[in-house]
């Protein structure tokens, strides 16, 4: 195998190289190959190849030494070239410095020469200009304007420059000697000014921006420049207000004019500001006045809607206009324009808002009560009837019949939605139209009106009527509608609370009025909760009274002492069945009328009273053996009914009562064991004894000795 340098290129593997060398050597393969393995021949091949590698190494080493020598030589040559270049660069830099100094010297001389020339030329130009103006002045003095500049319409720009300067000069001349010439110059001045404005107007109508720019530049030095701007503004608005939407038309007009004024006038921001001021003080102000004055005294609702809409659209337009260049303080400029239009309306806004809400709320309430054919009763008027009602509400004393509302709660979701809707609109208007310093105070006054109409005049009144309609506890077949009042009042107050958080809080959250609002809200809630608690308590008393009436009319003494002990076929008594049915209906009624923890609270109280009634009721009878079993069946049914309460305490009470009833049937010898049971062991011994005394065999079986 020929030995060359390319065989050792990366990646190089020595083992692979030896294997390839042995494989190519005759007799150097494995012993099992086609040709017998010859170690001598392989050794000889390796020795020869080593010699070749040595020769190759010497050859490469000589080549490396040659290249190193060549590299050293070229490095020295390059270093010499760099030194020569550095010397040349230094010489060039010195020449550059000399040239720069020479140029500076020449420039100084040229500037000095220019100053000298200007010093000579400026007086000469002034003299020429003065001579020219004196020539023209003489023509005015003679009364004969012969110069072509005054008679050629195409040279109106040059004539305007001359007459403007002559006009300034004429101002300095004494009136008594030059009155005539001053009048002629002034007349020509005004005539040229008028011609220029006419030319500008004609160019504007033709849409010739270049000509407009030229004329405006000439008029800039005339007193009539402001009139030129006024004419431009007036013509811009011609045909711009063809639609019924003045705000949209204004935005489009300003967008179009803004592109043009920069090409025509030297100070476009001044012209643009004057255009906007003209629009606000004429078009917008007239539009606002027309819209508001026609409804201010005839339709307050529409007036407030129009005021809100117009103010909102005007501020929206002002926001769009801020994208234009109107000077350094465009926000203050636009705010003053808006204030000039609306100040007289905004000053009286909150008074009109409050008066409208007061009237509107009263009308909504009256319309509702009229629809119910209800004459609203004065609450807290101090009459004898009111005194009786308050005593009856707080003591449950029978001081005459209750008011029959025929199931009417006198709470209207539609009325509430209308009141909240009106108040929401009022809050929105208040937020937009009130001064920031007056916003919390104004919002609070609106909130007070809502409290008066919704909470006092409607909810509180309905609670008063509801309380008056609650029958006395001993009433028979009483219809209990107060829970419906509770349900609707609760729903209404959730809506009231939502509006408080969503609409009012953002307006007062960072002001001292927040504390007043929260206090007022808390006060209203507490007043209503007192009446709700009173009504619920009296309603529960009525429920218990109705249960008591059912038990009194349906429960017979023979139920628990049947004449035929062996022929009792019923599972529980009729009284028990009717009471359980009644209780189930009332529990369902409570669940529909309450929410959250209030359900458990009311059902717990009802369950306790229900248990107390049954407990006291059972103690009115004596029980035979079979009667005791029937009492246990009744209590079991009562306990099943108590499960509907889903209140652990109530179920526990009936479990204990069920265990007590076992004392009515247990064998005399087992009484002590039963009394020591898990459910009865913690009860008072007198209570246990009282139940045992209800057994008909109490004396004959001498059961009292078990409690001695």
């Amino acid at each position: 195998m020929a030995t060359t340098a390319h065989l050792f290129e990366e990646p190089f593997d020595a083992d692979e190289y030896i294997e390839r060398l042995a494989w190519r050597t005759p007799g150097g393969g494995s012993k099992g190959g086609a040709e017998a393995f010859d170690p001598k021949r392989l050794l000889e091949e390796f020795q020869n190849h080593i010699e070749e590698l040595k020769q190759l190494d010497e050859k490469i080493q000589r080549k490396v030494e040659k290249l190193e020598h060549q590299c050293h030589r070229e490095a020295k040559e390059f270093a010499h070239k760099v030194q020569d270049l550095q010397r040349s660069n230094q010489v060039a830099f010195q020449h550059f410095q000399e040239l720069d100094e020479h140029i500076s010297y020449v420039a100084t001389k040229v500037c000095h020469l220019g100053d000298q020339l200007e010093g000579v030329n400026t007086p000469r130009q002034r003299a020429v200009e003065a001579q020219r103006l004196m020539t023209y002045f003489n023509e005015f003095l003679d009364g004969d304007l012969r110069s072509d500049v005054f008679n050629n319409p195409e040279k109106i720009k040059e004539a305007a420059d001359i007459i403007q300067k002559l006009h300034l000069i004429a101002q300095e001349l004494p009136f008594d000697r030059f009155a005539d010439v001053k009048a002629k110059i002034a007349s020509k001045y005004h005539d040229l000014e008028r011609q220029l404005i006419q030319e500008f107007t004609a160019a504007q109508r033709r849409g010739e921006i270049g000509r407009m720019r030229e004329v405006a530049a000439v008029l800039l030095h005339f007193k009539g420049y402001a009139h030129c701007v006024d004419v431009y503004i007036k013509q811009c608005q011609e045909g711009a207000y063809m639609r019924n939407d003045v705000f949209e038309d204004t935005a489009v007009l300003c967008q179009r004019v803004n592109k043009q004024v920069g090409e025509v006038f030297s100070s476009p921001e001044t012209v643009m500001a004057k255009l906007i001021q003209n629009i606000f003080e004429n078009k917008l102000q007239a539009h606002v006045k027309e819209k508001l004055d026609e409804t201010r005294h005839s339709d307050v609702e529409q007036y407030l809607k129009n005021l809100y809409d117009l103010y909102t659209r005007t501020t929206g337009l002002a926001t769009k206009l801020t994208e234009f260049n109107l000077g350094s303080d465009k926000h203050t400029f636009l705010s003053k324009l808006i204030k000039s239009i609306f100040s007289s309306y905004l000053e009286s806004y909150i008074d009109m808002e409050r008066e409208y809400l007061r009237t509107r709320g009263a009308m909504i309430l009256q319309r509702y009560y009229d629809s119910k054919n209800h004459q609203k009763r004065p609450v807290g008027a101090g009459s004898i009837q009111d005194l009786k009602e308050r005593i009856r509400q707080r003591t449950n004393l029978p001081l005459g019949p209750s008011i029959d509302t025929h199931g009417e709660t006198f709470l209207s979701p539609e009325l509430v939605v209308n009141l909240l809707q009106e108040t929401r609109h009022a809050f929105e208007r208040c937020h937009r139209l009130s001064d920031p310093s007056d916003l919390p105070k104004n919002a609070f006054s609106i909130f007070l009106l809502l409290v008066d109409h919704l909470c006092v005049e409607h909810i509180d009144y309905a609670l008063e009527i509801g309380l008056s309609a609650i029958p006395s506890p001993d009433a028979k077949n009483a219809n209990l509608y107060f829970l419906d009042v509770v349900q609707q009042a609760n729903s209404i107050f959730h809506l009231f609370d939502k509006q408080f958080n969503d609409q009012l809080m953002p307006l007062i959250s960072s002001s001292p009025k927040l504390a007043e609002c929260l206090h007022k809200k808390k006060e209203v809630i507490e007043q209503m909760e007192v009446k709700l608690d009173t009504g619920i308590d009296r309603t529960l008393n009525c429920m218990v009274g109705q249960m008591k009436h059912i038990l009194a009319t349906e429960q017979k003494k023979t139920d628990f002492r049947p004449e035929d002990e062996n022929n009792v076929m019923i599972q529980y008594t009729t009284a028990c069945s009717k009471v359980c049915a009644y209780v189930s209906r009332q529990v369902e009624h409570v669940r529909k009328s309450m929410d959250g923890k209030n359900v458990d609270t009311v059902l717990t109280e009802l369950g306790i009273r229900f248990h107390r009634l049954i407990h006291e009721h059972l103690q009115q009878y004596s029980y035979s053996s079979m009667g005791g079993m029937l009492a246990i069946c009744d209590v079991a049914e009562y306990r099943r009914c108590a499960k509907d309460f889903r209140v652990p305490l109530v179920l526990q009470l009936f479990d204990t009562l069920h265990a007590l009833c076992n004392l009515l049937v247990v064998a005399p010898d087992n009484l002590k064991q039963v009394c020591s049971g898990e459910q009865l062991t913690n009860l008072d011994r007198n209570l246990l004894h009282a139940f045992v005394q209800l057994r008909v065999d109490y004396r004959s079986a001498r059961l009292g000795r078990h409690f001695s």
Side-chain angles (χ1 to χ4, degrees):
M1 182 174 65
T3 304
T4 57
H6 76 273
L7 294 175
F8 300 96
E9 292 178 354
E10 295 294 338
F12 176 73
D13 188 344
D15 293 340
E16 182 183 354
Y17 182 80
I18 297 298
E19 285 294 332
R20 194 163 60 248
L21 179 63
W23 180 74
R24 295 193 178 193
T25 302
S30 62
K31 293 181 180 181
E35 190 174 349
F37 176 69
D38 188 351
K40 291 183 179 180
R41 202 169 168 183
L42 184 61
L43 176 62
E44 181 181 351
E45 181 63 26
F46 280 171
Q47 288 175 345
N48 292 335
H49 199 72
I50 289 171
E51 288 297 324
E52 290 178 4
L53 289 175
K54 288 181 179 179
Q55 293 175 5
L56 179 62
D57 179 62
E58 291 175 359
K59 182 179 178 181
I60 292 173
Q61 190 63 37
R62 287 195 298 272
K63 189 174 181 179
V64 169
E65 290 176 355
K66 181 179 178 182
L67 290 173
E68 287 180 348
H69 178 71
Q70 183 179 352
C71 183
H72 286 309
R73 186 178 69 253
E74 290 180 355
K76 289 180 180 179
E77 292 176 357
F78 181 75
H80 288 306
K81 287 182 180 180
V82 170
Q83 290 177 355
D84 292 341
L85 289 173
Q86 287 179 339
R87 285 193 293 270
S88 299
N89 183 56
Q90 188 173 5
V91 172
F93 182 72
Q94 290 175 352
H95 288 321
F96 176 76
Q97 283 185 323
E98 292 174 359
L99 181 60
D100 184 56
E101 291 174 358
H102 186 65
I103 290 173
S104 298
Y105 174 76
V106 172
T108 303
K109 289 292 186 181
V110 169
C111 289
H112 179 66
L113 181 60
D115 292 340
Q116 288 180 332
L117 290 175
E118 185 178 4
V120 173
N121 189 51
T122 300
R124 178 180 172 280
Q125 285 182 338
R126 289 176 179 172
V128 171
E129 180 68 18
Q131 183 184 10
R132 188 168 68 95
L133 290 175
M134 288 173 64
T135 302
Y136 294 133
F137 185 82
N138 284 334
E139 292 185 14
F140 279 98
L141 195 61
D142 297 338
D144 183 16
L145 299 180
R146 299 178 300 277
S147 299
D148 182 56
V149 70
F150 294 122
N151 299 306
N152 190 347
E154 296 182 359
K155 294 185 178 181
I156 190 171
K157 182 178 179 181
E158 184 180 350
D161 179 60
I162 294 170
I163 202 67
Q164 193 266 337
K165 292 177 180 176
L166 288 176
H167 188 263
L168 292 176
I169 294 172
Q171 302 298 317
E172 305 296 328
L173 298 176
F175 183 79
D176 53 348
R177 293 178 55 191
F178 297 95
D180 186 51
V181 71
K182 290 177 71 172
K184 292 177 181 178
I185 292 174
S187 175
K188 189 63 177 177
Y189 177 89
H190 293 305
D191 184 52
L192 277 175
E193 187 178 67
R194 179 179 52 78
Q195 292 181 39
L196 287 169
I197 292 175
Q198 289 176 350
E199 177 64 23
F200 181 87
T201 304
Q204 184 179 1
R205 289 201 174 107
R206 294 191 301 268
E208 297 177 358
I209 303 298
R211 183 58 178 164
M212 290 170 63
R213 180 171 55 249
E214 291 177 6
V215 177
V218 174
L219 278 170
L220 181 63
H221 304 290
F222 279 76
K223 295 179 179 179
Y225 179 73
H227 183 58
C228 173
V229 174
D230 293 339
V231 170
Y232 174 77
I233 290 173
K234 181 180 178 181
Q235 284 203 174
C236 284
Q237 298 179 59
E238 290 180 358
Y241 293 93
M242 303 299 292
R243 294 175 290 184
N244 293 328
D245 193 342
V246 65
F247 298 97
E248 189 63 30
D249 286 341
T250 298
V252 173
L253 171 63
C254 292
Q255 189 73 39
R256 174 171 58 82
V257 172
N258 182 63
K259 297 177 182 178
Q260 193 178 80
V261 291
E263 301 175 0
V264 175
F265 297 98
S266 58
S267 54
E269 69 280 358
T270 305
V271 178
M272 198 67 195
K274 195 169 184 179
L275 169 66
I276 291 173
Q277 182 177 357
N278 181 274
I279 293 172
F280 270 73
E281 292 178 351
N282 293 284
K283 287 288 184 182
L284 290 185
Q285 188 158 16
H287 178 72
V288 169
K289 181 176 177 59
E290 178 188 358
K291 286 287 186 181
L292 295 181
D293 287 357
E294 67 183 11
T295 57
R296 188 166 192 173
H297 302 293
S298 59
D299 188 349
V300 178
E301 179 182 8
Q302 191 60 45
Y303 168 79
L304 290 172
K305 289 180 179 178
N306 289 345
L307 177 60
Y308 174 78
D309 180 64
L310 291 169
Y311 188 82
T312 301
R313 299 200 67 187
T314 304
T315 53
L317 174 63
T319 302
K320 291 181 182 178
L321 297 179
T322 54
E323 68 184 53
F324 305 134
N325 183 12
L326 305 177
S328 58
D329 198 1
K330 52 188 173 184
H331 294 284
T332 304
F333 169 70
L334 291 169
S335 297
K336 288 181 178 179
L337 292 178
I338 295 173
K339 187 175 181 181
S340 68
I341 296 176
F342 289 97
S343 59
S344 61
Y345 303 105
L346 296 181
E347 287 173 359
S348 60
Y349 154 69
I350 193 60
D351 294 330
M352 298 191 72
E353 184 74 79
R354 283 197 297 258
E355 184 59 31
Y356 166 71
L357 284 177
R358 190 177 294 109
T359 305
R360 180 68 174 168
M363 186 193 74
I364 292 173
L365 288 166
Q366 189 59 47
R367 188 169 58 193
Y368 168 71
Y369 294 121
D370 289 345
S371 70
K372 298 295 181 181
N373 293 321
H374 175 75
Q375 182 64 39
K376 198 172 182 185
R377 302 171 57 217
V379 177
S383 65
I384 298 297
Q385 184 61 34
D386 292 327
L387 179 60
K388 286 183 178 181
E389 181 58 33
R390 292 181 181 278
I391 295 174
R392 192 170 71 85
Q393 288 176 9
R394 288 161 175 74
T395 63
N396 290 323
L397 293 176
L399 298 177
S402 59
I403 297 174
D404 187 3
T405 62
H406 303 287
E408 179 61 58
T409 62
F410 290 102
L411 287 171
S412 168
E414 182 181 355
L415 178 147
V416 171
V417 169
N418 288 337
L419 285 176
L420 292 177
Q421 186 80 346
E422 292 290 347
T423 310
R424 182 175 69 83
H425 291 323
F427 280 134
E428 290 174 353
R429 290 192 291 264
C430 178
H431 187 199
R432 175 68 67 180
L433 302 175
S434 295
D435 186 89
S437 60
D438 296 330
L439 177 58
K441 177 183 67 177
N442 293 345
F444 180 63
S445 66
I446 294 173
F447 171 68
L448 291 180
L449 288 172
L450 175 63
V451 169
D452 184 57
H453 288 138
L454 180 62
C455 299
V456 178
E457 294 294 330
H458 191 56
I459 301 178
D460 190 71
Y461 178 74
L463 292 178
E464 289 283 352
I465 295 296
L467 286 171
S468 302
I470 298 174
S472 60
D474 56 354
K476 300 177 182 179
N477 299 320
N479 291 319
L480 303 177
Y481 296 111
F482 190 79
L483 290 180
D484 296 332
V485 177
V486 172
Q487 178 188 9
Q488 293 187 27
N490 190 40
S491 300
I492 291 170
F493 198 80
H494 281 316
L495 295 175
F496 169 79
D497 190 55
K498 185 176 188 305
Q499 185 169 84
F500 181 90
N501 294 323
D502 294 347
Q503 302 287 330
L504 179 61
M505 284 296 288
L507 307 183
I508 60 170
S509 58
S510 58
S511 75
K513 287 293 179 183
L514 175 61
E516 290 186 51
C517 286
L518 292 174
H519 176 73
K520 184 64 178 178
K521 180 185 173 186
K522 181 182 177 183
E523 183 181 278
V524 170
I525 292 174
E526 289 175 349
Q527 289 174 356
M528 288 198 294
E529 283 180 344
V530 169
K531 294 183 179 180
L532 288 170
D533 291 345
T534 302
I536 291 171
D537 181 68
R538 293 186 57 229
T539 300
L540 295 181
N541 285 339
C542 287
M543 291 179 183
V544 173
Q546 190 68 18
M547 294 181 224
K548 188 180 296 185
H549 174 70
I550 294 172
L551 292 172
T553 55
E554 298 293 336
Q555 196 85 71
K556 300 178 177 57
K557 291 185 178 181
T558 56
D559 287 344
F560 302 116
R561 293 183 67 180
E563 295 178 359
D564 187 357
E565 292 278 335
N566 299 320
N567 194 24
V568 178
M569 304 299 293
I570 59 175
Q571 294 181 343
Y572 41 79
T573 65
T574 303
C576 172
S577 175
K578 291 186 176 182
V579 167
C580 287
Y582 177 80
V583 170
S584 296
R585 290 196 302 271
Q586 301 311 316
V587 169
E588 186 64 24
H589 196 180
V590 170
R591 290 196 183 281
K592 289 180 180 178
S593 305
M594 306 285 175
D595 60 359
K597 295 181 179 180
N598 293 330
V599 177
D600 292 338
T601 302
V602 174
L603 287 181
T604 299
E605 184 61 29
L606 177 60
I608 291 172
R609 297 186 189 190
F610 175 37
H611 168 267
R612 185 185 304 123
L613 173 65
I614 299 302
H615 186 277
E616 293 173 354
H617 174 71
L618 291 174
Q619 289 184 311
Q620 297 175 9
Y621 300 91
S622 58
Y623 300 86
S624 64
S625 177
M626 185 55 66
M629 291 298 295
L630 195 57
I632 291 175
C633 291
D634 276 5
V635 174
E637 185 64 14
Y638 291 136
R639 184 174 61 176
R640 185 195 62 76
C641 181
K643 290 182 180 179
D644 294 340
F645 285 72
R646 302 174 199 166
V647 177
L649 174 60
V650 175
L651 190 59
Q652 181 184 349
L653 289 173
F654 277 94
D655 285 341
T656 303
L657 182 59
H658 188 270
L660 279 172
C661 288
N662 286 331
L663 298 177
L664 302 175
V665 298
V666 71
D669 294 338
N670 295 333
L671 271 175
K672 185 171 291 187
Q673 179 183 353
V674 173
C675 291
S676 302
E678 180 181 353
Q679 290 182 320
L680 301 179
T681 186
N682 294 325
L683 295 181
D684 185 18
R685 301 290 289 180
N686 293 328
L687 176 60
L688 300 177
H689 191 193
F691 253 82
V692 174
Q693 286 179 324
L694 300 176
R695 293 172 58 138
V696 296
D697 61 348
Y698 174 73
R699 295 186 182 281
S700 61
R702 299 176 62 191
L703 300 180
R705 58 190 175 86
H706 295 285
F707 296 91
S708 58

